[in-house]
Amino acid sequence: KWKVVSQKLLPLVWSCRYDTPLVLTIVKILVILTKPLSAAAKKAGRLVIDVKSGKVPEDVIQGQIKLRDNALEQNEMLVDYKRTFVHHPSHIAKSKSGKGGPGAKKSPRGQDDKQEEGGGLLSIFVSLLAEPLSKTGTERTDADHLTIELVLHLFRNLLSAEPIMTGTAEKSCQSAVLHQELISLFERELVLDVFLVLAQELESRENAQYNLLLMEILHHLLRTQDPTQVARITSAIATKSNAPAIEKVNKGQGPAISPSRTPLRNTSGPPASTGSLRAQLKTERQNLRAAAHSRHSHFGGTLVVTRPGGRRQYVSASSLKPGGASAAEGGGDGISASAAMSSVDPPRRKNRKAEPFIGFGRSSASHTRQGAVISSNHEGGPVTRRAQQTLNNFCGKFVNKCYGPMMKSLKNEFRRDSVRLEESDKLVFFRIIWFFSQWWRVSRGSKSAQIESEGKKSNSAVGQLIFTMDMFTFNLVLNSTDNFHQRKKYSDLMQAVALYHEMMQLLQEMYLSKDSTEHVMALGLMDRLFYANEPLDRLPKLLSWWSPGTFTREYLCDLVELCHVTLKLLDTNSKSCQKDIPADARRKHKFKDKKKREEEERRLDAVERMKNTAAEFDVSSYFAKKIVSNQLVFMYTRLLTQYKINSHHINHHIVALFLRLCKFTIVQEDDGSGGANDMRDPGKILIGGKTVTLEPMLYNINLLTTLNDILHDVIIRRDKDYSSLLSFATLIMRHFARATESNPMLFIECLFRHPAPHRFCELSTNMYVSEELMMIAEREVLLEEQQKLMESQLDEVGEEDQMHESSEEMAPDNDEEVEFGGEGDELEETNIDSDIVATDSAGAEQEDKDPERWNGRRKFIPKRKRPREDVDGQLTLDESSSPSSVKHLGQEDNISSDRVKRSKILRKKFATPDIPSDGEEEFVDNSASINPARLVFDDDE
């Protein structure tokens, strides 16, 4: 209210700029006044007060209202202080003098040219750092450290000032423009150069204490910027500066002006000619007409609506105007009215499954197609482009000179878990690494052509970014992902995954680098991430953690790119290592004893040992067991529904993974050309298995509906960026139509999610012929073969019986045998033994007569052919008698010992019994309950 900063302090600094003690005192006051809000104040400013329920007492409500009003008022004052510094008359006069050229007018305040050349208000604070930074070692005193710390904190406070609640699009746009103007002002007043000098000397002892403060300054400096847009701004300006019209203007103006200070023309806004006033009047008329149709259109403010799930929704009057602030947020040309309305006023979200992504109005340039603009930073005016050009130059200098010393200093703080660290410092550290990594990756492609034209060759693929490509940084990031997921900090998890994706991109560039050192380092990182006994890879977990309605679209794009880079890197390394190391050498290392293998590994070089491990790694098994799931297909399908917004490479990665599923074989087709030494299973020979792939996983209703929309989209048919997507959609729909002709059940199967995708693919391809059916078929084939074998053995036994009968006809009589045998006692013993043998033989033939037998512990015993009836008095079974009755057709004395042996052989071949616990053989006759037409074996046979 008193405007102390704008009317008292800043004019005093400008008028007494050479009085160093006075300026330092004012700096202390400014640091206190511009101090950022605490976490509690920010929470109070975003507090939602429950007034209607009546559950909260009135005094509590009044206290909450007072807290919120105080926090919002304090935040508004901080933004006002920032605006006062940026729009100071000294800065405006200097910018006008820089734009005017040789014919520029003097400032209206009549200031001297020396003061204009000396800089604006911020240059006074920068001049305070000249003497302290020039001192090194013990020469720098405590007063010098205090001066450096005060000035750096003042710059940090100015950068961190931002509104807590941006209820309207106009307010958020003004805040973004103010921040970008401050960035451009920092470049003109040499503030960014001070940051570069300090960061470059962070390894020295006197500057090490400023590492965390510089990290916080970098965070606020790069907070609202997109690294891809910053890296592309150089090529965009170069194409515009090469236009013939601009060349003619430059020729007439004389000496060229630096690109950072050249006024850029805003192509999205109204022209800077006499027609600008007409365009402005036309815009105001359109706003008035739009406001006339709405009730209470002259009222402003923001309404905070609390949904039942606890989600807040901010509704403002400006966001409801079709041609007002929403068009301003969209960035001018290139956005239709419907797109602008959808970015500001998104459709209502009924549940998480209906809307899988959160974070409307936010988009990354690396994940978004250039024609589909969502965020306000994509198509900015001259202020945005000037700030991006400034940051692009700053990033180039910082990465080349300051990235290594600063990152080593910060890693030391995290490594020893310094007490100076705060809870949010880890996330700030991740964001800084992510920004410079993505900027380097995008800008390196644009700079490669320029380097080749200049004849400069650099073998390094990552430059000084290699200081953060070590196991400590990987462990810090991967452990943080687990921690953030356990605590359900999904916004922090998104930042950690984005950094992990950029690090994997840099790892791929290191692997393909011409520098041997970077290539060996890449092999070591891959060995620890994927090939170790306890790998650090988190990709399978990250894929399983995704759920609709929890994460943003950018997070899913990062996961898709991470999966693509990981699989591509594993495939490339596996093929390269298999070519370098022959298969015989790998087998020797694999099958030797552990002690000998450890001794040989010690003798081998570390690089050869890593290559051996990579050559033995099964990429197909990793993909099938850890990556493939129904969750993966559902995720990719959800992202494919945004095919109009997705960038070209995102759609390409989705199609590439789906094609990998289509080509991944889980069962190879059996062509049946086995020959005489064919060792295939009889069931597979009988059925004839087909080649089974994972393509049936794509036959689900979500993906088929999305592909149908793609094929019926007329706009993308002639666009080359969508050619691969259209070909893939046509291929899948054609294959699905052919599959449904042979298997109509797929029309029903596509409506459900199958828990076992591999089994579903095998069943649907083989017409639901499962392993149980194949085992039954194998059993039938084995039974037939066993039946043929038994018949052949019985035929051989029958031929032997006939031959023996013919030999018995030629034998002498029984009396002669008795006489030849000896005395009568011996004859009686022989007759008794013959009776026992005849009884046993009769029992065996009675069992032979039964079609099937049940044997105690065994299930079924197959039927065997009955011996032929013998006319000459041999043993036979009486079919009319009971199973236990036996009749003799001849004398018992005529049975020879050879015939008894053959009877026992038959019993052993066809009716081998189980041995009971007492050691004796038992047979149980269950022929009445057995079907003689079916033969079934025990499962153990």
Side-chain angles (χ1 to χ4, degrees):
K1 295 179 181 180
W2 294 341
K3 298 182 180 179
V4 175
V5 174
S6 60
Q7 295 183 2
K8 302 294 181 180
L9 296 179
L10 295 185
L12 187 60
V13 171
W14 180 254
S15 60
C16 303
R17 57 191 305 177
Y18 298 107
D19 191 353
T20 303
L22 179 61
V23 174
L24 282 176
T25 304
I26 297 174
V27 168
K28 294 178 183 178
I29 299 173
L30 291 174
V31 169
I32 296 173
L33 291 176
T34 59
K35 185 178 179 181
L37 294 177
S38 61
K42 292 180 180 179
K43 185 178 180 180
R46 300 187 181 97
L47 183 64
V48 178
I49 302 173
D50 186 7
V51 182
K52 295 182 179 180
S53 64
K55 299 179 180 179
V56 184
E58 186 66 23
D59 55 346
V60 177
I61 294 176
Q62 294 300 326
Q64 291 177 351
I65 293 175
K66 187 177 180 179
L67 283 175
R68 187 182 65 178
D69 293 343
N70 291 338
L72 292 176
E73 187 176 357
Q74 186 178 357
N75 179 252
E76 188 177 355
M77 289 296 296
L78 292 176
V79 177
D80 192 20
Y81 292 155
K82 181 178 181 179
R83 187 180 298 107
T84 303
F85 274 89
V86 174
H87 296 162
H88 193 265
S90 62
H91 300 150
I92 298 175
K94 186 176 179 180
S95 62
K96 286 183 178 180
S97 64
K99 293 179 182 178
K105 296 181 181 180
K106 293 183 179 180
S107 63
R109 294 175 180 259
Q111 295 165 338
D112 297 336
D113 295 338
K114 293 182 180 180
Q115 289 180 351
E116 291 181 0
E117 291 177 359
L121 179 66
L122 288 180
S123 63
I124 300 174
F125 303 118
V126 173
S127 63
L128 296 175
L129 300 174
E131 184 179 356
L133 290 178
S134 62
K135 299 178 182 180
T136 58
T138 58
E139 296 180 359
R140 187 177 297 179
T141 61
D142 294 339
D144 297 332
H145 285 293
L146 180 61
T147 302
I148 296 173
E149 191 173 354
L150 281 174
V151 176
L152 290 180
H153 274 88
L154 178 60
F155 294 153
R156 190 276 313 269
N157 296 346
L158 293 177
L159 287 170
S160 62
E162 61 174 350
I164 297 177
M165 296 180 62
T166 57
T168 62
E170 183 179 1
K171 191 174 181 180
S172 62
C173 183
Q174 290 176 358
S175 175
V177 170
L178 181 63
H179 188 75
Q180 292 162 0
E181 289 176 350
L182 181 62
I183 293 174
S184 301
L185 180 62
F186 275 5
E187 185 202 21
R188 291 199 304 268
E189 302 299 331
L190 303 179
V191 178
L192 297 181
D193 294 336
V194 173
F195 296 158
L196 292 174
V197 170
L198 272 175
Q200 190 174 358
E201 300 295 333
L202 273 182
E203 290 184 343
S204 60
R205 186 176 181 181
E206 62 272 9
N207 295 326
Q209 58 183 336
Y210 306 121
N211 53 2
L212 295 179
L213 182 57
L214 278 177
M215 181 185 71
E216 193 174 356
I217 290 174
L218 284 177
H219 166 65
H220 293 297
L221 183 68
L222 309 172
R223 183 182 66 242
T224 59
Q225 301 299 324
D226 191 340
T228 302
Q229 287 293 322
V230 172
R232 290 175 181 173
I233 193 64
T234 304
S235 59
I237 293 179
T239 54
K240 291 184 180 181
S241 62
N242 292 332
I246 298 178
E247 288 180 359
K248 292 180 181 179
V249 174
N250 292 336
K251 288 181 181 179
Q253 288 181 355
I257 306 175
S258 62
S260 60
R261 303 191 180 188
T262 303
L264 301 176
R265 185 178 179 183
N266 185 8
T267 57
S268 61
S273 60
T274 57
S276 60
L277 181 58
R278 184 181 304 171
Q280 185 177 359
L281 292 173
K282 186 178 179 180
T283 303
E284 290 178 358
R285 287 170 186 163
Q286 290 178 356
N287 294 339
L288 290 174
R289 290 174 184 175
H293 296 288
S294 61
R295 187 182 179 185
H296 306 297
S297 59
H298 300 286
F299 296 96
T302 303
L303 175 64
V304 181
V305 181
T306 305
R307 297 298 178 187
R311 187 175 61 89
R312 304 173 187 174
Q313 183 179 1
Y314 303 96
V315 181
S316 60
S318 60
S319 63
L320 300 176
K321 297 179 182 179
S326 61
E329 185 185 3
D333 300 336
I335 306 178
S336 61
S338 61
M341 285 297 296
S342 62
S343 63
V344 177
D345 191 11
R348 206 178 280 176
R349 200 164 53 126
K350 296 181 180 180
N351 51 29
R352 289 188 175 183
K353 294 183 179 179
E355 187 59 48
F357 304 119
I358 63 172
F360 295 102
R362 300 178 183 177
S363 178
S364 175
S366 62
H367 300 151
T368 308
R369 195 166 177 261
Q370 294 184 358
V373 180
I374 295 181
S375 68
S376 59
N377 292 332
H378 284 201
E379 294 289 339
V383 177
T384 303
R385 296 188 191 131
R386 195 179 298 117
Q388 290 176 353
Q389 179 64 25
T390 300
L391 287 177
N392 188 32
N393 298 333
F394 173 77
C395 290
K397 297 176 183 178
F398 185 85
V399 170
N400 292 329
K401 297 179 181 180
C402 310
Y403 187 85
M406 185 170 181
M407 291 302 150
K408 286 194 291 185
S409 177
L410 292 176
K411 285 195 302 182
N412 289 333
E413 297 287 342
F414 286 101
R415 184 177 286 110
R416 63 173 182 250
D417 196 12
S418 175
V419 295
R420 300 170 57 213
L421 291 174
E422 297 180 359
E423 186 178 359
S424 60
D425 287 342
K426 184 183 292 185
L427 197 64
V428 172
F429 179 65
F430 289 167
R431 176 167 176 79
I432 292 174
I433 300 176
W434 165 81
F435 186 93
F436 286 108
S437 300
Q438 187 172 350
W439 177 87
W440 173 269
R441 181 169 56 88
V442 177
S443 61
R444 191 169 180 269
S446 60
K447 290 182 179 179
S448 59
Q450 182 179 359
I451 292 174
E452 290 178 359
S453 62
E454 294 177 358
K456 300 178 181 178
K457 293 184 179 180
S458 178
N459 294 329
S460 178
V462 294
Q464 286 200 4
L465 295 176
I466 201 169
F467 286 100
T468 51
M469 293 297 295
D470 55 354
M471 284 311 306
F472 173 77
T473 311
F474 270 102
N475 282 322
L476 189 65
V477 174
L478 297 176
N479 293 332
S480 298
T481 56
D482 299 337
N483 188 18
F484 293 153
H485 180 262
Q486 291 177 358
R487 298 185 179 183
K488 297 184 179 181
K489 295 183 177 181
Y490 297 118
S491 59
D492 299 345
L493 178 62
M494 295 177 205
Q495 184 61 63
V497 172
L499 175 57
Y500 183 38
H501 159 237
E502 292 299 331
M503 294 178 71
M504 290 302 298
Q505 292 278 9
L506 294 179
L507 181 61
Q508 184 183 18
E509 294 185 5
M510 289 175 59
Y511 180 80
L512 301 175
S513 175
K514 297 180 181 179
D515 191 356
S516 60
T517 304
E518 292 183 353
H519 181 73
V520 172
M521 289 183 64
L523 289 176
L525 291 173
M526 292 178 61
D527 182 73
R528 188 68 183 89
L529 286 173
F530 303 105
Y531 308 135
N533 295 328
E534 296 180 359
L536 300 177
D537 182 29
R538 293 294 193 280
L539 179 58
K541 288 186 178 181
L542 294 174
L543 293 175
S544 62
W545 289 345
W546 185 85
S547 59
T550 307
F551 300 97
T552 60
R553 176 183 152 274
E554 284 71 31
Y555 173 77
L556 186 53
C557 291
D558 288 330
L559 278 183
V560 168
E561 288 190 284
L562 176 62
C563 183
H564 180 81
V565 172
T566 301
L567 293 176
K568 185 178 179 180
L569 190 60
L570 289 176
D571 289 337
T572 305
N573 189 34
S574 178
K575 292 178 182 178
S576 176
C577 294
Q578 288 176 1
K579 289 181 181 179
D580 296 342
I581 301 175
D584 297 337
R586 294 198 304 269
R587 290 175 183 173
K588 289 179 182 179
H589 294 299
K590 185 175 181 181
F591 292 104
K592 285 186 176 181
D593 297 336
K594 291 183 179 180
K595 295 182 180 179
K596 296 182 179 179
R597 184 179 180 180
E598 290 177 358
E599 292 177 359
E600 290 188 0
E601 286 182 352
R602 292 174 184 174
R603 297 175 185 175
L604 290 175
D605 189 10
V607 179
E608 295 181 1
R609 184 168 62 252
M610 288 187 292
K611 289 184 177 181
N612 288 332
T613 308
E616 296 175 359
F617 184 76
D618 191 359
V619 183
S620 300
S621 178
Y622 172 81
F623 175 72
K625 295 180 180 179
K626 296 186 177 181
I627 304 298
V628 174
S629 63
N630 288 319
Q631 173 80 357
L632 181 75
V633 178
F634 177 70
M635 287 169 47
Y636 277 66
T637 303
R638 286 297 188 183
L639 187 58
L640 189 60
T641 57
Q642 309 290 326
Y643 65 93
K644 291 184 179 180
I645 303 175
N646 297 336
S647 60
H648 171 66
H649 67 278
I650 292 295
N651 291 332
H652 171 71
H653 294 342
I654 297 173
V655 173
L657 185 106
F658 284 162
L659 289 177
R660 183 188 282 263
L661 290 176
C662 295
K663 296 179 181 179
F664 190 82
T665 305
I666 56 177
V667 176
Q668 190 66 30
E669 182 179 3
D670 197 351
D671 54 357
S673 58
N677 297 325
D678 193 359
M679 301 299 293
R680 294 172 295 157
D681 294 335
K684 293 184 179 179
I685 299 174
L686 180 65
I687 297 175
K690 301 178 181 179
T691 300
V692 180
T693 63
L694 295 177
E695 185 176 352
M697 291 182 64
L698 306 181
Y699 299 157
N700 60 81
I701 189 63
N702 296 323
L703 182 58
L704 294 176
T705 305
T706 304
L707 297 180
N708 182 54
D709 296 339
I710 293 172
L711 293 175
H712 285 82
D713 195 345
V714 185
I715 301 176
I716 66 174
R717 288 183 181 177
R718 297 182 180 180
D719 195 343
K720 295 181 180 179
D721 294 340
Y722 295 99
S723 58
S724 60
L725 183 59
L726 290 171
S727 301
F728 169 75
T730 307
L731 177 68
I732 294 300
M733 298 301 287
R734 186 189 305 118
H735 288 183
F736 178 71
R738 291 178 181 175
T740 51
E741 290 179 358
S742 58
N743 185 11
M745 282 295 295
L746 288 177
F747 287 115
I748 308 301
E749 298 283 4
C750 69
L751 301 176
F752 303 96
R753 180 183 294 188
H754 303 279
H758 295 76
R759 181 176 177 83
F760 165 71
C761 295
E762 188 173 358
L763 290 177
S764 60
T765 304
N766 292 326
M767 299 299 294
Y768 304 100
V769 178
S770 60
E771 294 182 0
E772 290 77 7
L773 295 177
M774 295 178 68
M775 291 176 61
I776 292 174
E778 293 176 3
R779 179 177 294 180
E780 294 294 336
V781 173
L782 291 174
L783 287 174
E784 292 179 359
E785 293 181 354
Q786 189 71 17
Q787 185 68 22
K788 293 179 181 178
L789 179 62
M790 287 189 299
E791 291 179 356
S792 61
Q793 291 179 355
L794 288 174
D795 292 340
E796 293 178 358
V797 172
E799 292 177 358
E800 291 179 358
D801 291 342
Q802 291 180 359
M803 295 175 60
H804 185 71
E805 289 173 0
S806 59
S807 61
E808 283 182 350
E809 290 178 357
M810 303 297 295
D813 295 336
N814 294 334
D815 298 337
E816 297 177 358
E817 290 180 1
V818 171
E819 292 177 358
F820 180 77
E823 298 178 356
D825 296 335
E826 295 179 356
L827 179 59
E828 290 180 358
E829 292 177 0
T830 302
N831 291 335
I832 293 171
D833 294 337
S834 299
D835 292 338
I836 295 173
V837 170
T839 304
D840 294 337
S841 300
E845 290 182 356
Q846 175 64 26
E847 291 174 354
D848 293 340
K849 182 180 178 181
D850 297 335
E852 293 178 352
R853 301 187 317 279
W854 177 261
N855 182 18
R857 301 176 184 176
R858 300 179 62 86
K859 292 183 180 178
F860 293 105
I861 296 179
K863 164 188 175 181
R864 68 170 183 265
K865 187 178 290 186
R866 290 193 302 267
R868 300 177 183 178
E869 293 183 354
D870 214 339
V871 180
D872 296 332
Q874 303 299 329
L875 286 174
T876 185
L877 293 176
D878 187 8
E879 296 178 358
S880 61
S881 61
S882 61
S884 59
S885 60
V886 178
K887 66 176 180 178
H888 297 269
L889 298 179
Q891 295 180 359
E892 299 175 355
D893 299 337
N894 295 332
I895 299 176
S896 63
S897 62
D898 295 334
R899 186 66 179 273
V900 174
K901 292 180 181 179
R902 283 197 298 271
S903 178
K904 292 183 179 180
I905 291 174
L906 286 175
R907 292 176 62 187
K908 289 182 180 180
K909 284 186 178 181
F910 301 110
T912 304
D914 288 341
I915 300 176
S917 58
D918 54 356
E920 297 179 359
E921 297 183 356
E922 293 182 359
F923 289 96
V924 180
D925 188 5
N926 292 327
S927 59
S929 61
I930 297 175
N931 185 8
R934 182 176 178 86
L935 298 175
V936 183
F937 281 5
D938 185 54
D939 292 339
D940 297 335
E941 293 183 357

